Each structure stands twice: as structure tokens, then as C-alpha cells.
Amino acid sequence: MSRTERNCAGAIVFLGPPGAGKGTQARLVARQLGIPHISSGDLFRENVEKQTPLGLAARSFMERGELVRDELVNEMVRKRLGEPDCEWGFLLDGYPRTLEQAETLKGLLQKREGCGPPVVVNLGVSYTVIVQRLGGRRICPVCQRTYNLISQPPSNDNVCDDDGAALQQRPDDREEAIRERLAAHEARTAPLIEHYKAGGRFYEVNADRSLEQITEELFRVLSPGS
Ligand code: ADP
């Protein structure tokens, strides 16, 4: 067994529909905890950008807002978790998204000595807020900083405050793809809430609120002994 499979301080999983703010919150929390933020969506987008075989296989599913096949996702995440920076724990954002993926994750964690089930946080959010967040989302292609034209606009029209790059809209943030992503979430991912509620540490966080309020509550539920 390799060193990376033997040690693990723990895994944190953020669940929640598209638009819950998982990515934004996961970046902040992971940085604060000193663990890597692993976003399956970001990993796929990197692969699409580099035109790898995985990226080519995933691209059309992503653009339509459909889920990529479990085998592809599981293999991508398995490889990423084997990297040395994951040795002392990691925060998963966007994975698992199906019961099959949750089973795979369970198996991967069981191979790591001292690593119990993941701590799972569900970021719950209303439909109105989801549509506002996704429709207004713009991303810097250089540093990946996320803005919202309504709630967190950049200082200058459509360019990143940090590096001046022109902001972009994700292809799957178009209305039709948003509808498809919400349907996929409802059908395939929402059942994970009951699955994780039934075993291990599970927390609900109301993600309809401001970014700061959500971050504060996340730190509260994730602090040791909570
Ligand atoms: P969202 O904002 O919808 O949560 P992500 O950035 O997490 O978006 O993912 C973008 C797309 O990548 C998804 O719509 C899907 O096509 C694909 N994807 C990401 N993670 C998974 C996963 N765990 N299982 C299947 N497909 C995934």
C-alpha cells in the first residue's frame, strides 16, 4: 500500500444544487483548513481545456448540463486523491453526485488507514436564488475568481479586479442547461442527502444567505467537537 493510501485526516464533502455556492465556499474553507479543494467540475473543465481524452468524452455532457458517466468521474477522482497533497484530508466539491459515486468514495476512504466516513455538509438553497446566482455568474478565465453581476459585481465592467482579464460565462450557465442541471441534481444527487443522513456526520447549512453568513456557519459546523 502506498503512503498516500495509508494516512488520512479526513474527507469533507459539500453537497448542494448548482448555485448553492459550493465552489466559492469550498475554496475559502479549504484554504483556511490547509487542505486541497477538489472540484470535479473544475477537473473536468481543465480536461476540456487541454483537450485530453477525458475532456473530449465529458464535454458534450457538461455543455448540456447532464452528468458525466460514473466510471469516468470515479477514475478521475481516484487519481486525484492519490496525489500527495491529499494525504491529510481534502474537501470534495461536486463529488459524489450519485449513489454509485458515493459507494466508490466509501471504498477509496476505507483503503486509507484511520480515515472514517466523510463529514458531509448539504448547502440548501431556494429555486429563485439558484436562478439569480447562476444566470449572473461570471468567471475570470485566468485566476478562476467568481463574480455575480447582481450580488458581487467586479469594480469595472466585466473585467477581473485581480488581473484585468475579460470575465466569461460558463457554457452550462445558459438557461436550458441550468434547467437540465437542476433536474439531474433532483433525480441523482438529492437522494445522497438521505444516504449520508443515515450514517456519519451530516450537517445542513442554509445557503440562501450572504456569502459571509454561510462561511461563518460552515466554520462553526466543521470546527472540531461541534
Ligand atoms: P455545478 O455548478 O452544476 O455544480 P460543476 O462545476 O460542479 O457544476 O460541474 C459541471 C459539470 O461537470 C456538471 O454539470 C457535469 O456535467 C460534470 N460533473 C461534475 N462533477 C460530476 C460528477 N460528480 N458526476 C457527474 N458529472 C459531473
Side-chain angles (χ1 to χ4, degrees), residues 2-226:
S2 78
R3 189 171 145 74
T4 51
E5 277 174 333
R6 275 192 284 105
N7 301 301
C8 179
I12 300 172
V13 167
F14 279 7
L15 290 179
K22 291 190 302 292
T24 307
Q25 296 294 343
R27 237 183 308 276
L28 284 167
V29 170
R31 193 185 313 140
Q32 185 72 24
L33 297 178
I35 54 175
H37 162 217
I38 298 175
S39 153
S40 47
D42 287 350
L43 291 175
F44 276 128
R45 279 183 287 277
E46 273 168 41
N47 278 279
V48 169
E49 178 112 338
K50 292 185 190 145
Q51 303 193 1
T52 65
L54 177 64
L56 294 175
R59 185 178 177 160
S60 61
F61 290 94
M62 294 175 68
E63 288 188 349
R64 288 196 300 271
E66 291 170 18
L67 294 186
V68 179
R69 285 206 325 274
D70 285 334
E71 311 86 82
L72 293 178
V73 189
N74 285 333
E75 181 53 18
M76 176 179 78
V77 172
R78 187 190 65 75
K79 275 203 195 126
R80 179 65 187 87
L81 298 188
E83 287 175 26
D85 64 332
C86 292
E87 190 171 354
W88 298 106
F90 41 83
L91 195 166
L92 288 167
D93 153 20
Y95 181 92
R97 242 174 168 97
T98 65
L99 286 166
E100 291 84 344
Q101 292 176 19
E103 282 306 309
T104 298
L105 176 64
K106 187 175 168 191
L108 290 172
L109 297 181
Q110 277 169 349
K111 283 194 198 137
R112 296 172 168 240
E113 197 173 294
C115 190
V119 176
V120 179
V121 184
N122 184 51
L123 287 88
V125 64
S126 67
Y127 185 76
T128 326
V129 172
I130 292 176
V131 172
Q132 185 209 317
R133 285 192 187 150
L134 296 181
R137 174 157 70 179
R138 296 293 182 276
I139 296 168
C140 171
V142 177
C143 68
Q144 309 305 320
R145 183 166 163 186
T146 303
Y147 296 85
N148 186 285
L149 299 184
I150 297 161
S151 57
Q152 285 176 278
S155 308
N156 296 309
D157 250 11
N158 223 33
V159 296
C160 180
D161 290 352
D162 295 337
D163 49 41
L167 301 181
Q168 294 179 349
Q169 183 171 38
R170 267 171 46 174
D172 60 350
D173 278 345
R174 284 169 296 106
E175 201 183 323
E176 204 168 290
I178 292 177
R179 243 182 279 127
E180 188 58 49
R181 282 156 66 201
L182 290 174
H185 179 268
E186 203 45 47
R188 313 279 307 277
T189 311
L192 288 181
I193 296 175
E194 292 310 315
H195 172 83
Y196 281 124
K197 253 188 201 167
R201 263 173 80 186
F202 177 89
Y203 302 98
E204 289 274 6
V205 166
N206 172 2
D208 263 358
R209 296 168 302 164
S210 73
L211 188 100
E212 293 76 17
Q213 284 172 318
I214 302 168
T215 312
E216 200 181 307
E217 191 171 346
L218 284 169
F219 280 126
R220 194 178 55 73
V221 301
L222 290 171
S223 64
S226 74

